[in-house]
């Protein structure tokens, strides 16, 4: 079966069944994205009414294609999907990506069952139906009808909500959140969130798996837990589970009592399986950014280095609240930090370089933090001041990390200020130093890393 999932992420050839001739239609957009994002494999538009689409020869059916097809993306009306699935099976297609809506989500349960039956009879796997597609950046594959471009990186995102997934594609580009894979799972008729996660756990291009989940299919909870336990040992998993509160539960499925109770079951299950539960999309990607670009912590002891007392205090509060232990510097360590700051600074934790701090103060303090064995994790904070341009600090941090070579301690940055601070954060994020627009978000992300470290240490030891 794993071979078939290779066909989902790294197909050698893709057919788009229902590749429309008309710009703006879903089948056209999927074909255009596959072509224009730069897929290097073979692409076959399938449309009985066309001879050529987007400069590619079109075929009337998959069977007319004179070549093997690994993946068939299906974007034709539901009434025609089963016949096409059968043809795909006979052709030897390995995986069906069924975009089409109108199956179990509207009560058409039998057709959905039949679809999976046909697929399995022919050794095919199905993703969907009712999805916006699949993208895998390392293969330059964007078989979705979302935006054409992806921000490439090592975060995999699996989503049960199509609209949210499409919306977040654009948002991740803007926020410089790099994705390896983007998978819309829709009705989960065959492949589900657990099986996709299991595949991505062994994917060398993915470092962290993020999931937007509304609910599991009845009877699949145990299997989900078993698989996710195995996945979590290999890679961090962050889930945002919608329908948390009573009203949210009603919105998700209109059965208040049962689902509100269910939410506690999910919380317990996530805890047992090492899944990190985020409350918001923002939080999920904040944490994911840290996992994607920084090493997993080796210990708990954290130092905060700041140029502003206020943000230092806020970070200290957040550390206490989220469970991030702050190191109490020894006299020897304090003496080292003292040499990096004016006489009125503070070498305690937070290390306060004061509003007078320039690049050199930060660089010296950071080098001490990286070198000192009493410190495991580093949070750098910056408040906009007149004497230190944020971009200069960002560049110095990137340069320092580059010069030091392999990074053994996580470094997260929190910055507060206006547009130029935002640009400096973008620069840091582009260079794989996670940067957040508040001290709390940096601390929350480190806290997630520590929770994961504790879980993994418990399981592995
Ligand atoms: N094989 C290949 N192509 C076929 C075909 C077949 N058996 N039957 C029809 N086609 C062609 C059509 O001729 C058309 O091409 P054209 O525009 O060049 O004429 C194209 O396939 C699409 O068929 P059409 O009947 O126009 O369907 P549509 O584009 O209006 O709708 C879906 C198809 C899949 C988009 C629609 O049924 C659907 O499910 N929409 C919702 C999708 C969605 O939201 N998914 C979930 C997202 S989260």
């Amino acid at each position: 079966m794993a071979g078939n999932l290779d066909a989902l992420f790294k197909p050698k050839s893709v057919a788009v069944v229902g590749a429309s001739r008309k710009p703006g239609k879903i089948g056209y957009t999927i074909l255009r994205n596959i072509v224009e994002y730069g897929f290097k494999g073979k692409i076959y538009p399938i449309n009985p009414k066309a001879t050529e689409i987007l400069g590619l020869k079109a075929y009337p059916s998959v069977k007319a294609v004179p070549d093997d097809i690994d993946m068939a993306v299906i974007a034709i009306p539901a009434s025609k999907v089963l016949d096409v699935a059968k043809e795909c099976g006979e052709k030897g297609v390995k995986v069906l990506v069924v975009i089409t809506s109108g199956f179990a989500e509207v009560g058409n349960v039998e057709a959905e069952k039949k679809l999976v039956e046909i697929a399995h009879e022919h050794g095919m796997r199905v993703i969907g139906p009712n999805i916006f597609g699949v993208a895998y950046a390392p293969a330059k594959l964007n078989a979705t009808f979302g935006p054409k471009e992806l921000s490439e990186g090592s975060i995999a995102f699996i989503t049960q909500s199509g609209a949210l997934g499409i919306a977040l594609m654009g948002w991740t580009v803007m926020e410089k959140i790099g994705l390896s894979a983007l998978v819309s799972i829709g009705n989960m008729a065959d492949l589900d969130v657990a099986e996709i996660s299991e595949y991505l756990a062994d994917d060398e291009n993915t470092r962290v798996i993020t999931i937007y989940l509304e609910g599991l299919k009845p009877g699949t909870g145990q299997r989900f837990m078993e698989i996710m336990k195995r996945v979590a040992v290999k890679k961090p998993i962050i889930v945002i589970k919608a329908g948390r509160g009573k009203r949210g539960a009603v919105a998700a499925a209109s059965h208040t009592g049962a689902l509100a109770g269910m939410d506690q079951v999910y919380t317990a299950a996530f805890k047992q399986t090492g899944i990190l539960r985020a409350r918001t999309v923002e939080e999920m990607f904040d944490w994911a950014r840290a996992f994607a670009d920084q090493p997993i912590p080796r210990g708990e002891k954290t130092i905060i280095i700041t140029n502003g007392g206020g943000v230092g205090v806020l970070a200290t509060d957040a550390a206490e609240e989220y469970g991030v232990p702050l190191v109490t510097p020894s006299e020897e360590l304090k003496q080292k930090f003292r040499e990096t700051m004016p006489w009125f600074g503070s070498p305690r934790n937070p290390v306060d370089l004061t509003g007078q701090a320039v690049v050199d103060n930060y660089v010296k303090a950071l080098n001490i933090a990286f070198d000192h064995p009493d410190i495991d994790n580093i949070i750098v904070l910056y408040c906009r001041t007149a004497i230190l341009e944020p971009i200069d600090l960002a560049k110095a941090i990137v340069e320092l990390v580059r010069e030091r070579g392999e990074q053994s301690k996580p470094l997260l940055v929190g910055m507060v200020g206006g547009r130029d601070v935002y640009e400096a954060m973008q620069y840091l994020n582009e260079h794989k130093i996670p940067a957040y627009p508040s001290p709390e978000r940096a601390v929350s992300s480190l806290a997630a890393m520590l929770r994961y470290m504790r879980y993994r240490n418990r399981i592995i030891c």
Side-chain angles (χ1 to χ4, degrees):
M1 285 297 181
N4 279 348
L5 290 200
D6 270 348
L8 180 63
F9 292 97
K10 303 166 186 167
K12 291 193 182 69
S13 52
V14 177
V16 179
V17 184
S20 172
R21 296 158 295 173
K22 295 167 199 145
K25 285 180 74 171
I26 286 183
Y28 178 91
T29 308
I30 293 170
L31 181 68
R32 190 208 59 193
N33 281 353
I34 296 174
V35 173
E36 293 186 2
Y37 183 55
F39 181 59
K40 296 284 178 290
K42 291 178 184 149
I43 309 168
Y44 299 109
I46 312 294
N47 184 331
K49 294 186 193 150
T51 51
E52 191 187 295
I53 307 172
L54 283 163
L56 296 168
K57 180 174 164 46
Y59 295 85
S61 71
V62 282
K63 283 187 166 170
V65 174
D67 194 4
D68 291 341
I69 299 172
D70 283 347
M71 172 199 282
V73 184
I74 299 184
I76 50 172
S79 58
K80 299 180 178 175
V81 169
L82 297 186
D83 287 343
V84 164
K86 199 155 171 276
E87 274 183 27
C88 287
E90 286 160 7
K91 172 71 186 168
V93 170
K94 294 176 181 152
V95 64
L96 300 179
V97 176
V98 185
I99 304 293
T100 311
S101 301
F103 287 88
E105 83 282 6
V106 292
N108 201 357
V109 177
E110 276 313 306
E112 188 165 303
K113 263 195 197 154
K114 190 76 196 151
L115 171 66
V116 177
E117 250 173 59
I118 294 170
H120 288 184
E121 267 168 27
H122 294 88
M124 295 187 290
R125 301 305 305 270
V126 178
I127 183 114
N130 190 28
I131 60 172
F132 71 89
V134 172
Y136 184 66
K140 294 302 277 177
L141 175 72
N142 180 0
T144 74
F145 62 87
K148 188 170 64 185
E149 291 303 324
L150 279 179
S151 166
E152 295 177 22
S154 55
I155 302 172
F157 178 39
I158 304 170
T159 176
Q160 219 170 4
S161 159
L164 184 69
I166 293 174
L168 289 178
M169 278 176 90
W171 182 74
T172 51
V173 171
M174 191 180 77
E175 290 295 322
K176 311 247 181 276
I177 294 168
L179 300 180
S180 54
L182 176 60
V183 185
S184 171
I185 46 173
N187 295 3
M188 298 196 283
D190 178 24
L191 288 167
D192 63 4
V193 64
E195 214 173 329
I196 298 290
S197 301
E198 192 169 37
Y199 179 85
L200 292 169
D202 292 323
D203 172 38
E204 71 277 17
N205 299 300
T206 296
R207 289 187 60 164
V208 48
I209 299 168
T210 57
I211 302 169
Y212 171 85
L213 186 70
E214 280 182 5
L216 298 171
K217 290 183 92 170
T220 62
Q222 196 58 41
R223 178 175 162 278
F224 172 83
M225 285 184 66
E226 279 162 20
I227 293 178
M228 294 315 247
K229 250 185 200 165
R230 292 201 294 272
V231 175
V233 175
K234 294 181 186 172
K235 298 208 176 136
I237 309 163
I238 307 167
V239 171
I240 174 156
K241 163 72 180 66
R244 232 178 331 139
K246 282 190 184 157
R247 272 175 182 270
V250 174
S254 80
H255 197 275
T256 327
L259 281 178
M262 279 298 287
D263 194 64
Q264 285 151 21
V265 176
Y266 277 105
T267 302
F270 290 166
K271 216 169 185 175
Q272 270 184 48
T273 41
I275 290 175
L276 302 164
R277 183 173 188 172
R279 281 167 308 170
T280 62
V281 169
E282 180 184 88
E283 197 171 63
M284 178 164 80
F285 284 108
D286 274 358
W287 299 355
R289 210 194 264 291
F291 283 114
D293 294 334
Q294 295 296 299
I296 302 293
R298 293 195 300 204
E300 305 262 352
K301 293 165 290 170
T302 301
I303 196 94
I304 298 169
I305 299 169
T306 181
N307 71 340
V311 286
V313 176
L314 289 174
T316 307
D317 280 346
E320 207 167 331
E321 190 182 338
Y322 300 143
V324 173
L326 298 183
V327 62
T328 305
S330 62
E331 274 312 314
E332 173 251 358
L333 183 52
K334 273 197 278 194
Q335 188 47 41
K336 282 198 156 97
F337 279 130
R338 240 180 232 119
E339 285 157 24
T340 70
M341 61 183 61
W343 64 268
F344 49 88
S346 168
R348 296 197 176 86
N349 194 2
V351 174
D352 188 354
L353 303 173
T354 79
Q356 203 171 292
V358 291
V359 159
D360 192 49
N361 301 93
Y362 272 102
V363 167
K364 282 185 177 142
L366 262 169
N367 274 320
I368 292 167
F370 271 121
D371 288 334
H372 205 282
D374 286 357
I375 295 170
D376 298 311
N377 314 299
I378 307 164
I379 290 180
V380 166
L381 302 178
Y382 165 82
C383 276
R384 182 66 170 105
T385 62
I387 57 166
L388 175 53
E389 292 292 324
I391 192 66
D392 291 343
L393 177 60
K395 285 184 176 166
I397 292 174
V398 168
E399 186 59 18
L400 178 143
V401 169
R402 196 187 58 77
E403 273 173 8
R404 293 189 63 89
E406 184 150 357
Q407 202 186 321
S408 58
K409 300 179 183 182
L411 166 65
L412 286 78
V413 178
M415 290 182 135
V416 182
R419 178 168 293 279
D420 52 2
V421 164
Y422 181 74
E423 282 160 12
M425 285 192 299
Q426 295 272 62
Y427 181 87
L428 284 164
N429 284 321
E430 270 169 32
H431 290 83
K432 298 188 175 301
I433 309 288
Y436 306 93
S438 75
E440 292 89 348
R441 282 170 65 177
V443 175
S444 159
S445 302
L446 180 62
M449 296 185 95
L450 289 174
R451 285 200 296 282
Y452 179 66
M453 175 199 79
R454 290 174 200 131
Y455 173 80
R456 218 170 57 164
N457 288 349
R458 224 178 29 247
I459 297 296
I460 292 172
C461 298

